[in-house]
Amino acid sequence: MNYRVIDIRTTHYSDPKAGALSFIEAEKELPFPIRRMYWIYESEKGTHRGFHAHTLNWQLLICPYGSIDIMLDDGETRETVTLDKPNVGLVLSPGLWREMIWNIKDSVLCVAASEYYDPAEYIRDYDKYLEYARQMRESAKTDEGSVSSAE
Ligand code: T46
């Protein structure tokens, strides 16, 4: 499945009580430029959001506080990644259906996205998503076929 869990570089202050600082440099460490950031907060435990896929957006998801399950679906299989550390990120390529479940009240989900907000690049109907994912798999097979016949 087209996602990657990454360790985010972190520095600890010399005074341990002062905590830590994590940082990421977009185009050096991410496969996309960051055009937009948003964050979701004040959510109750058990909150279930998402239920969509993006056709264009690459994203980096970080849970700097709390614990959130990210269920990913590529139209054939489902996998869940739990985000519960401020120095771990989840990089999602476009085309994955996602659902987010809040394991702890007030967990925060921060997202860096490659595109400006455009509701037209969301697929919010699961049956339409399955058809989209099927077409993506078909065109990937066709591309593989044309590469090997050109070799
Ligand atoms: C995603 C997950 C992880 C805007 O006006 N601008 C924005 O940039 C965004 C992200 C949202 N909105 C509006 C659209 C809706 O009226 O905020 C409202 C809530 O958005 P949505 O229902 O899409 O929220 P989630 O939590 O289901 O999904 C969000 C992101 O939309 C999505 O990109 O991948 O977080």
Side-chain angles (χ1 to χ4, degrees), residues 131-147:
E131 179 53 22
Y132 169 83
R134 194 190 61 74
Q135 286 177 11
M136 289 299 109
R137 284 194 299 277
E138 285 305 312
S139 64
K141 273 191 213 151
T142 312
D143 290 348
E144 272 171 30
S146 52
V147 169

mmCIF file with all atom_site columns, all heavy atoms in Angstrom, residues 131-147:
data_model
loop_
_atom_site.group_PDB
_atom_site.id
_atom_site.type_symbol
_atom_site.label_atom_id
_atom_site.label_alt_id
_atom_site.label_comp_id
_atom_site.label_asym_id
_atom_site.label_entity_id
_atom_site.label_seq_id
_atom_site.pdbx_PDB_ins_code
_atom_site.Cartn_x
_atom_site.Cartn_y
_atom_site.Cartn_z
_atom_site.occupancy
_atom_site.B_iso_or_equiv
_atom_site.pdbx_formal_charge
_atom_site.auth_seq_id
_atom_site.auth_comp_id
_atom_site.auth_asym_id
_atom_site.auth_atom_id
_atom_site.pdbx_PDB_model_num
ATOM 1   N N   . GLU A 1 131 ? -14.419 1.934  -7.604  1.00 0.00 ? 131 GLU A N   1
ATOM 2   C CA  . GLU A 1 131 ? -14.295 1.979  -9.062  1.00 0.00 ? 131 GLU A CA  1
ATOM 3   C C   . GLU A 1 131 ? -13.029 2.761  -9.471  1.00 0.00 ? 131 GLU A C   1
ATOM 4   O O   . GLU A 1 131 ? -12.291 2.350  -10.358 1.00 0.00 ? 131 GLU A O   1
ATOM 5   C CB  . GLU A 1 131 ? -15.568 2.622  -9.653  1.00 0.00 ? 131 GLU A CB  1
ATOM 6   C CG  . GLU A 1 131 ? -15.581 2.770  -11.162 1.00 0.00 ? 131 GLU A CG  1
ATOM 7   C CD  . GLU A 1 131 ? -15.285 1.478  -11.925 1.00 0.00 ? 131 GLU A CD  1
ATOM 8   O OE1 . GLU A 1 131 ? -15.469 0.388  -11.377 1.00 0.00 ? 131 GLU A OE1 1
ATOM 9   O OE2 . GLU A 1 131 ? -14.837 1.580  -13.089 1.00 0.00 ? 131 GLU A OE2 1
ATOM 10  N N   . TYR A 1 132 ? -12.776 3.878  -8.796  1.00 0.00 ? 132 TYR A N   1
ATOM 11  C CA  . TYR A 1 132 ? -11.577 4.683  -9.064  1.00 0.00 ? 132 TYR A CA  1
ATOM 12  C C   . TYR A 1 132 ? -10.314 3.847  -8.813  1.00 0.00 ? 132 TYR A C   1
ATOM 13  O O   . TYR A 1 132 ? -9.396  3.820  -9.639  1.00 0.00 ? 132 TYR A O   1
ATOM 14  C CB  . TYR A 1 132 ? -11.610 5.919  -8.149  1.00 0.00 ? 132 TYR A CB  1
ATOM 15  C CG  . TYR A 1 132 ? -10.335 6.714  -8.110  1.00 0.00 ? 132 TYR A CG  1
ATOM 16  C CD1 . TYR A 1 132 ? -10.049 7.663  -9.081  1.00 0.00 ? 132 TYR A CD1 1
ATOM 17  C CD2 . TYR A 1 132 ? -9.416  6.526  -7.068  1.00 0.00 ? 132 TYR A CD2 1
ATOM 18  C CE1 . TYR A 1 132 ? -8.867  8.398  -9.031  1.00 0.00 ? 132 TYR A CE1 1
ATOM 19  C CE2 . TYR A 1 132 ? -8.248  7.249  -7.014  1.00 0.00 ? 132 TYR A CE2 1
ATOM 20  C CZ  . TYR A 1 132 ? -7.973  8.180  -7.997  1.00 0.00 ? 132 TYR A CZ  1
ATOM 21  O OH  . TYR A 1 132 ? -6.804  8.894  -7.943  1.00 0.00 ? 132 TYR A OH  1
ATOM 22  N N   . ALA A 1 133 ? -10.283 3.129  -7.671  1.00 0.00 ? 133 ALA A N   1
ATOM 23  C CA  . ALA A 1 133 ? -9.096  2.329  -7.329  1.00 0.00 ? 133 ALA A CA  1
ATOM 24  C C   . ALA A 1 133 ? -8.902  1.219  -8.366  1.00 0.00 ? 133 ALA A C   1
ATOM 25  O O   . ALA A 1 133 ? -7.766  0.915  -8.745  1.00 0.00 ? 133 ALA A O   1
ATOM 26  C CB  . ALA A 1 133 ? -9.247  1.744  -5.920  1.00 0.00 ? 133 ALA A CB  1
ATOM 27  N N   . ARG A 1 134 ? -10.022 0.629  -8.825  1.00 0.00 ? 134 ARG A N   1
ATOM 28  C CA  . ARG A 1 134 ? -9.912  -0.434 -9.835  1.00 0.00 ? 134 ARG A CA  1
ATOM 29  C C   . ARG A 1 134 ? -9.295  0.130  -11.121 1.00 0.00 ? 134 ARG A C   1
ATOM 30  O O   . ARG A 1 134 ? -8.389  -0.459 -11.703 1.00 0.00 ? 134 ARG A O   1
ATOM 31  C CB  . ARG A 1 134 ? -11.311 -1.025 -10.107 1.00 0.00 ? 134 ARG A CB  1
ATOM 32  C CG  . ARG A 1 134 ? -11.307 -2.335 -10.865 1.00 0.00 ? 134 ARG A CG  1
ATOM 33  C CD  . ARG A 1 134 ? -12.691 -2.735 -11.315 1.00 0.00 ? 134 ARG A CD  1
ATOM 34  N NE  . ARG A 1 134 ? -13.293 -1.744 -12.221 1.00 0.00 ? 134 ARG A NE  1
ATOM 35  C CZ  . ARG A 1 134 ? -12.946 -1.557 -13.481 1.00 0.00 ? 134 ARG A CZ  1
ATOM 36  N NH1 . ARG A 1 134 ? -12.002 -2.292 -14.027 1.00 0.00 ? 134 ARG A NH1 1
ATOM 37  N NH2 . ARG A 1 134 ? -13.538 -0.624 -14.216 1.00 0.00 ? 134 ARG A NH2 1
ATOM 38  N N   . GLN A 1 135 ? -9.771  1.309  -11.522 1.00 0.00 ? 135 GLN A N   1
ATOM 39  C CA  . GLN A 1 135 ? -9.226  1.929  -12.753 1.00 0.00 ? 135 GLN A CA  1
ATOM 40  C C   . GLN A 1 135 ? -7.738  2.267  -12.593 1.00 0.00 ? 135 GLN A C   1
ATOM 41  O O   . GLN A 1 135 ? -6.954  2.113  -13.527 1.00 0.00 ? 135 GLN A O   1
ATOM 42  C CB  . GLN A 1 135 ? -10.004 3.183  -13.104 1.00 0.00 ? 135 GLN A CB  1
ATOM 43  C CG  . GLN A 1 135 ? -11.366 2.873  -13.677 1.00 0.00 ? 135 GLN A CG  1
ATOM 44  C CD  . GLN A 1 135 ? -12.179 4.129  -13.954 1.00 0.00 ? 135 GLN A CD  1
ATOM 45  O OE1 . GLN A 1 135 ? -11.656 5.247  -13.901 1.00 0.00 ? 135 GLN A OE1 1
ATOM 46  N NE2 . GLN A 1 135 ? -13.451 3.962  -14.231 1.00 0.00 ? 135 GLN A NE2 1
ATOM 47  N N   . MET A 1 136 ? -7.361  2.731  -11.380 1.00 0.00 ? 136 MET A N   1
ATOM 48  C CA  . MET A 1 136 ? -5.940  3.050  -11.137 1.00 0.00 ? 136 MET A CA  1
ATOM 49  C C   . MET A 1 136 ? -5.090  1.784  -11.263 1.00 0.00 ? 136 MET A C   1
ATOM 50  O O   . MET A 1 136 ? -4.000  1.817  -11.846 1.00 0.00 ? 136 MET A O   1
ATOM 51  C CB  . MET A 1 136 ? -5.729  3.635  -9.717  1.00 0.00 ? 136 MET A CB  1
ATOM 52  C CG  . MET A 1 136 ? -6.259  5.021  -9.513  1.00 0.00 ? 136 MET A CG  1
ATOM 53  S SD  . MET A 1 136 ? -5.468  6.227  -10.596 1.00 0.00 ? 136 MET A SD  1
ATOM 54  C CE  . MET A 1 136 ? -6.781  6.574  -11.714 1.00 0.00 ? 136 MET A CE  1
ATOM 55  N N   . ARG A 1 137 ? -5.603  0.653  -10.725 1.00 0.00 ? 137 ARG A N   1
ATOM 56  C CA  . ARG A 1 137 ? -4.828  -0.600 -10.827 1.00 0.00 ? 137 ARG A CA  1
ATOM 57  C C   . ARG A 1 137 ? -4.691  -1.019 -12.282 1.00 0.00 ? 137 ARG A C   1
ATOM 58  O O   . ARG A 1 137 ? -3.625  -1.422 -12.728 1.00 0.00 ? 137 ARG A O   1
ATOM 59  C CB  . ARG A 1 137 ? -5.509  -1.719 -10.023 1.00 0.00 ? 137 ARG A CB  1
ATOM 60  C CG  . ARG A 1 137 ? -5.317  -1.605 -8.523  1.00 0.00 ? 137 ARG A CG  1
ATOM 61  C CD  . ARG A 1 137 ? -5.697  -2.883 -7.820  1.00 0.00 ? 137 ARG A CD  1
ATOM 62  N NE  . ARG A 1 137 ? -7.092  -3.245 -8.003  1.00 0.00 ? 137 ARG A NE  1
ATOM 63  C CZ  . ARG A 1 137 ? -8.103  -2.758 -7.297  1.00 0.00 ? 137 ARG A CZ  1
ATOM 64  N NH1 . ARG A 1 137 ? -7.882  -1.892 -6.335  1.00 0.00 ? 137 ARG A NH1 1
ATOM 65  N NH2 . ARG A 1 137 ? -9.345  -3.142 -7.536  1.00 0.00 ? 137 ARG A NH2 1
ATOM 66  N N   . GLU A 1 138 ? -5.820  -0.877 -13.044 1.00 0.00 ? 138 GLU A N   1
ATOM 67  C CA  . GLU A 1 138 ? -5.786  -1.251 -14.469 1.00 0.00 ? 138 GLU A CA  1
ATOM 68  C C   . GLU A 1 138 ? -4.761  -0.403 -15.214 1.00 0.00 ? 138 GLU A C   1
ATOM 69  O O   . GLU A 1 138 ? -3.969  -0.909 -15.991 1.00 0.00 ? 138 GLU A O   1
ATOM 70  C CB  . GLU A 1 138 ? -7.172  -1.038 -15.113 1.00 0.00 ? 138 GLU A CB  1
ATOM 71  C CG  . GLU A 1 138 ? -8.198  -2.098 -14.740 1.00 0.00 ? 138 GLU A CG  1
ATOM 72  C CD  . GLU A 1 138 ? -7.706  -3.509 -15.041 1.00 0.00 ? 138 GLU A CD  1
ATOM 73  O OE1 . GLU A 1 138 ? -7.204  -3.740 -16.153 1.00 0.00 ? 138 GLU A OE1 1
ATOM 74  O OE2 . GLU A 1 138 ? -7.804  -4.363 -14.142 1.00 0.00 ? 138 GLU A OE2 1
ATOM 75  N N   . SER A 1 139 ? -4.777  0.931  -14.960 1.00 0.00 ? 139 SER A N   1
ATOM 76  C CA  . SER A 1 139 ? -3.847  1.758  -15.740 1.00 0.00 ? 139 SER A CA  1
ATOM 77  C C   . SER A 1 139 ? -2.406  1.515  -15.313 1.00 0.00 ? 139 SER A C   1
ATOM 78  O O   . SER A 1 139 ? -1.496  1.579  -16.135 1.00 0.00 ? 139 SER A O   1
ATOM 79  C CB  . SER A 1 139 ? -4.226  3.233  -15.747 1.00 0.00 ? 139 SER A CB  1
ATOM 80  O OG  . SER A 1 139 ? -4.157  3.739  -14.478 1.00 0.00 ? 139 SER A OG  1
ATOM 81  N N   . ALA A 1 140 ? -2.182  1.132  -14.016 1.00 0.00 ? 140 ALA A N   1
ATOM 82  C CA  . ALA A 1 140 ? -0.810  0.792  -13.598 1.00 0.00 ? 140 ALA A CA  1
ATOM 83  C C   . ALA A 1 140 ? -0.346  -0.459 -14.338 1.00 0.00 ? 140 ALA A C   1
ATOM 84  O O   . ALA A 1 140 ? 0.798   -0.536 -14.781 1.00 0.00 ? 140 ALA A O   1
ATOM 85  C CB  . ALA A 1 140 ? -0.758  0.576  -12.090 1.00 0.00 ? 140 ALA A CB  1
ATOM 86  N N   . LYS A 1 141 ? -1.254  -1.453 -14.497 1.00 0.00 ? 141 LYS A N   1
ATOM 87  C CA  . LYS A 1 141 ? -0.877  -2.686 -15.224 1.00 0.00 ? 141 LYS A CA  1
ATOM 88  C C   . LYS A 1 141 ? -0.551  -2.357 -16.672 1.00 0.00 ? 141 LYS A C   1
ATOM 89  O O   . LYS A 1 141 ? 0.416   -2.844 -17.238 1.00 0.00 ? 141 LYS A O   1
ATOM 90  C CB  . LYS A 1 141 ? -2.050  -3.678 -15.205 1.00 0.00 ? 141 LYS A CB  1
ATOM 91  C CG  . LYS A 1 141 ? -2.080  -4.560 -13.992 1.00 0.00 ? 141 LYS A CG  1
ATOM 92  C CD  . LYS A 1 141 ? -3.106  -5.673 -14.183 1.00 0.00 ? 141 LYS A CD  1
ATOM 93  C CE  . LYS A 1 141 ? -3.743  -6.038 -12.861 1.00 0.00 ? 141 LYS A CE  1
ATOM 94  N NZ  . LYS A 1 141 ? -5.088  -6.546 -12.970 1.00 0.00 ? 141 LYS A NZ  1
ATOM 95  N N   . THR A 1 142 ? -1.376  -1.484 -17.302 1.00 0.00 ? 142 THR A N   1
ATOM 96  C CA  . THR A 1 142 ? -1.139  -1.103 -18.702 1.00 0.00 ? 142 THR A CA  1
ATOM 97  C C   . THR A 1 142 ? 0.222   -0.418 -18.825 1.00 0.00 ? 142 THR A C   1
ATOM 98  O O   . THR A 1 142 ? 0.998   -0.704 -19.729 1.00 0.00 ? 142 THR A O   1
ATOM 99  C CB  . THR A 1 142 ? -2.251  -0.145 -19.184 1.00 0.00 ? 142 THR A CB  1
ATOM 100 O OG1 . THR A 1 142 ? -3.488  -0.706 -18.808 1.00 0.00 ? 142 THR A OG1 1
ATOM 101 C CG2 . THR A 1 142 ? -2.197  0.088  -20.671 1.00 0.00 ? 142 THR A CG2 1
ATOM 102 N N   . ASP A 1 143 ? 0.528   0.497  -17.842 1.00 0.00 ? 143 ASP A N   1
ATOM 103 C CA  . ASP A 1 143 ? 1.822   1.196  -17.880 1.00 0.00 ? 143 ASP A CA  1
ATOM 104 C C   . ASP A 1 143 ? 2.970   0.200  -17.763 1.00 0.00 ? 143 ASP A C   1
ATOM 105 O O   . ASP A 1 143 ? 3.941   0.276  -18.488 1.00 0.00 ? 143 ASP A O   1
ATOM 106 C CB  . ASP A 1 143 ? 1.941   2.214  -16.736 1.00 0.00 ? 143 ASP A CB  1
ATOM 107 C CG  . ASP A 1 143 ? 1.001   3.388  -16.960 1.00 0.00 ? 143 ASP A CG  1
ATOM 108 O OD1 . ASP A 1 143 ? 0.464   3.501  -18.074 1.00 0.00 ? 143 ASP A OD1 1
ATOM 109 O OD2 . ASP A 1 143 ? 0.810   4.170  -16.013 1.00 0.00 ? 143 ASP A OD2 1
ATOM 110 N N   . GLU A 1 144 ? 2.829   -0.777 -16.817 1.00 0.00 ? 144 GLU A N   1
ATOM 111 C CA  . GLU A 1 144 ? 3.889   -1.797 -16.654 1.00 0.00 ? 144 GLU A CA  1
ATOM 112 C C   . GLU A 1 144 ? 4.091   -2.546 -17.958 1.00 0.00 ? 144 GLU A C   1
ATOM 113 O O   . GLU A 1 144 ? 5.208   -2.772 -18.391 1.00 0.00 ? 144 GLU A O   1
ATOM 114 C CB  . GLU A 1 144 ? 3.491   -2.829 -15.597 1.00 0.00 ? 144 GLU A CB  1
ATOM 115 C CG  . GLU A 1 144 ? 3.873   -2.454 -14.199 1.00 0.00 ? 144 GLU A CG  1
ATOM 116 C CD  . GLU A 1 144 ? 3.255   -3.421 -13.181 1.00 0.00 ? 144 GLU A CD  1
ATOM 117 O OE1 . GLU A 1 144 ? 3.045   -4.604 -13.511 1.00 0.00 ? 144 GLU A OE1 1
ATOM 118 O OE2 . GLU A 1 144 ? 2.960   -2.950 -12.073 1.00 0.00 ? 144 GLU A OE2 1
ATOM 119 N N   . GLY A 1 145 ? 2.970   -2.905 -18.622 1.00 0.00 ? 145 GLY A N   1
ATOM 120 C CA  . GLY A 1 145 ? 3.033   -3.651 -19.886 1.00 0.00 ? 145 GLY A CA  1
ATOM 121 C C   . GLY A 1 145 ? 3.765   -2.849 -20.938 1.00 0.00 ? 145 GLY A C   1
ATOM 122 O O   . GLY A 1 145 ? 4.636   -3.365 -21.644 1.00 0.00 ? 145 GLY A O   1
ATOM 123 N N   . SER A 1 146 ? 3.469   -1.526 -21.027 1.00 0.00 ? 146 SER A N   1
ATOM 124 C CA  . SER A 1 146 ? 4.113   -0.755 -22.092 1.00 0.00 ? 146 SER A CA  1
ATOM 125 C C   . SER A 1 146 ? 5.589   -0.532 -21.781 1.00 0.00 ? 146 SER A C   1
ATOM 126 O O   . SER A 1 146 ? 6.409   -0.493 -22.672 1.00 0.00 ? 146 SER A O   1
ATOM 127 C CB  . SER A 1 146 ? 3.378   0.556  -22.368 1.00 0.00 ? 146 SER A CB  1
ATOM 128 O OG  . SER A 1 146 ? 3.205   1.248  -21.188 1.00 0.00 ? 146 SER A OG  1
ATOM 129 N N   . VAL A 1 147 ? 5.977   -0.459 -20.473 1.00 0.00 ? 147 VAL A N   1
ATOM 130 C CA  . VAL A 1 147 ? 7.401   -0.323 -20.140 1.00 0.00 ? 147 VAL A CA  1
ATOM 131 C C   . VAL A 1 147 ? 8.121   -1.599 -20.537 1.00 0.00 ? 147 VAL A C   1
ATOM 132 O O   . VAL A 1 147 ? 9.136   -1.575 -21.216 1.00 0.00 ? 147 VAL A O   1
ATOM 133 C CB  . VAL A 1 147 ? 7.595   -0.043 -18.621 1.00 0.00 ? 147 VAL A CB  1
ATOM 134 C CG1 . VAL A 1 147 ? 9.051   -0.181 -18.230 1.00 0.00 ? 147 VAL A CG1 1
ATOM 135 C CG2 . VAL A 1 147 ? 7.113   1.345  -18.286 1.00 0.00 ? 147 VAL A CG2 1
#
